[in-house]
Amino acid sequence: MLPHAASRIDEIRSEVESIEWYHTMELAPGVVTPGWFDLRPVAGKVGLAPDLSGMRCLDVGTFDGFWAFELERRGAAEVVALDVVDPELWDWPAGSSQATKEEIGRRKGSGQGFAVARRALGSRVSRVEKSVYDLDPATEGMFDLVYLGSLLLHLRDPVSALGRVRSVCRGKVVVVDALHVPLSIFPRPLASLDASGRPWWWKPNRAGLARMAEAAGLRPEARPFLVVLPPGPALRATYPGMRDLLGRGALGRGALGRGALGRVLESRFGELHAVLHATPV
Ligand SMILES: C[S@@+](CC[C@H](N)C(=O)[O-])C[C@H]1O[C@@H](n2cnc3c(N)ncnc32)[C@H](O)[C@@H]1O
């Protein structure tokens, strides 16, 4: 982190307060973004090498940039952060309401979080506004490490996306994505489908995530392992009271169609994800 003058810290604090955050990050001494998820305790649990010196890295679906900045912090020579900043361009199922699009769009802002964080951290990460489906080695070049966090769930076609990731990877792909826990008792590949009014699609079981990667030409190094993504202040604030549980309120993510029990667990304990390390075949 850069040394900051007191006036600069105040400036960063007021920028932080002016927008909504997805990631919880310390941008200056004592200035922490109130994000939906606090991934700081997870950074050491997904199997990233502590030293990425000399590597060219890609973070796909960067949002406020937590993972891109983490790759940079680990010494990567270059980090590219890919994102589709305009939520209208995400994969929406037919019939999604304009109100839901606007609500999600409001949370996403216009990607200012990344810009504010990049400036505050004195980062050299470059953001490229492009869909994962459009990754092309002729344009983006090749990467030693590609990180893909909480993105597949939001894609209509996760296997095509993983195929594009494979096309730009000359080293390793690390996928950290939503997992269907009950289906994970079955050893064969399975997935559940949401696709109702919001850009939430497939939730595979553990074998399903590995099979998606294989179908895209990636070789899993091992069976996916589990991590919990802890809630940040924004998600904890949606913890539903009894009114919500009894169905008389629809706050926070509930307005986007989540079941009450899911919201209680998520806002209190976080979201279970699976971690997969794979290499191009
Ligand atoms: C749930 S957030 C995950 C943020 C971050 N990767 C993480 O692990 O915490 C999903 C991100 O994927 C981005 N996204 C959605 N559709 C995309 C697409 N087709 N290609 C690339 N990024 C996309 C969104 O803009 C958002 O930044």
Side-chain angles (χ1 to χ4, degrees):
M1 190 178 294
L2 291 176
H4 292 297
S7 60
R8 178 65 185 128
I9 293 177
D10 288 342
E11 202 182 319
I12 294 170
R13 184 174 289 113
S14 78
E15 285 183 319
V16 164
E17 285 167 0
S18 70
I19 52 183
E20 286 203 26
W21 291 87
Y22 182 82
H23 289 135
T24 304
M25 301 178 279
E26 186 170 21
L27 299 187
V31 183
V32 178
T33 62
W36 280 82
F37 288 96
D38 187 350
L39 302 175
R40 293 173 296 173
V42 182
K45 296 183 182 164
V46 299
L48 289 175
D51 183 3
L52 301 176
S53 298
M55 290 199 185
R56 188 161 191 262
C57 299
L58 174 68
D59 174 30
V60 186
T62 199
F63 217 126
D64 297 328
F66 174 85
W67 288 108
F69 301 131
E70 180 63 23
L71 298 174
E72 182 177 53
R73 202 181 63 76
R74 290 173 188 240
E78 183 189 352
V79 181
V80 175
L82 200 81
D83 207 2
V84 171
V85 172
D86 178 359
E88 282 281 343
L89 302 178
W90 293 354
D91 284 356
W92 290 88
S96 301
S97 76
Q98 199 51 37
T100 305
K101 289 187 180 177
E102 278 165 18
E103 166 63 11
I104 290 187
R106 190 185 54 74
R107 283 189 200 153
K108 176 80 181 174
S110 50
Q112 306 98 309
F114 178 88
V116 168
R118 182 181 189 278
R119 249 192 333 270
L121 296 171
S123 163
R124 293 168 52 239
V125 171
S126 54
R127 181 168 61 186
V128 172
E129 288 191 33
K130 185 178 243 201
S131 169
V132 64
Y133 297 125
D134 298 327
L135 274 173
D136 180 350
T139 323
E140 276 72 49
M142 298 298 282
F143 295 91
D144 302 297
L145 176 68
V146 183
Y147 186 89
L148 203 83
S150 305
L151 172 61
L152 296 180
L153 170 69
H154 300 295
L155 300 179
R156 179 183 292 116
D157 187 350
V159 177
S160 290
L162 286 168
R164 297 320 305 157
V165 163
R166 184 199 42 130
S167 77
V168 297
C169 182
R170 62 183 171 208
K172 181 188 272 210
V173 178
V174 177
V175 179
V176 180
D177 224 290
L179 177 81
H180 197 288
V181 181
L183 287 182
S184 291
I185 62 168
F186 299 103
R188 68 194 170 92
L190 295 167
S192 72
L193 176 62
D194 183 323
S196 58
R198 57 185 193 152
W200 269 247
W201 294 84
W202 307 96
K203 249 191 194 182
N205 65 356
R206 280 213 256 186
L209 180 62
R211 180 60 61 83
M212 281 180 183
E214 284 165 352
L218 292 164
R219 184 180 295 113
E221 285 182 355
R223 190 166 178 245
F225 59 93
L226 307 186
V227 288
V228 175
L229 308 190
L235 182 51
R236 280 200 304 272
T238 68
Y239 180 63
M242 283 311 285
R243 277 168 57 84
D244 300 297
L245 291 178
L246 295 172
R248 278 185 272 131
L251 294 172
R253 289 188 152 198
L256 305 176
R258 303 279 311 198
L261 180 62
R263 281 192 295 133
V264 172
L265 295 175
E266 199 178 281
S267 59
R268 274 309 268 273
F269 303 110
E271 259 185 28
L272 199 58
H273 271 42
V275 182
L276 177 76
H277 287 228
T279 47
V281 173

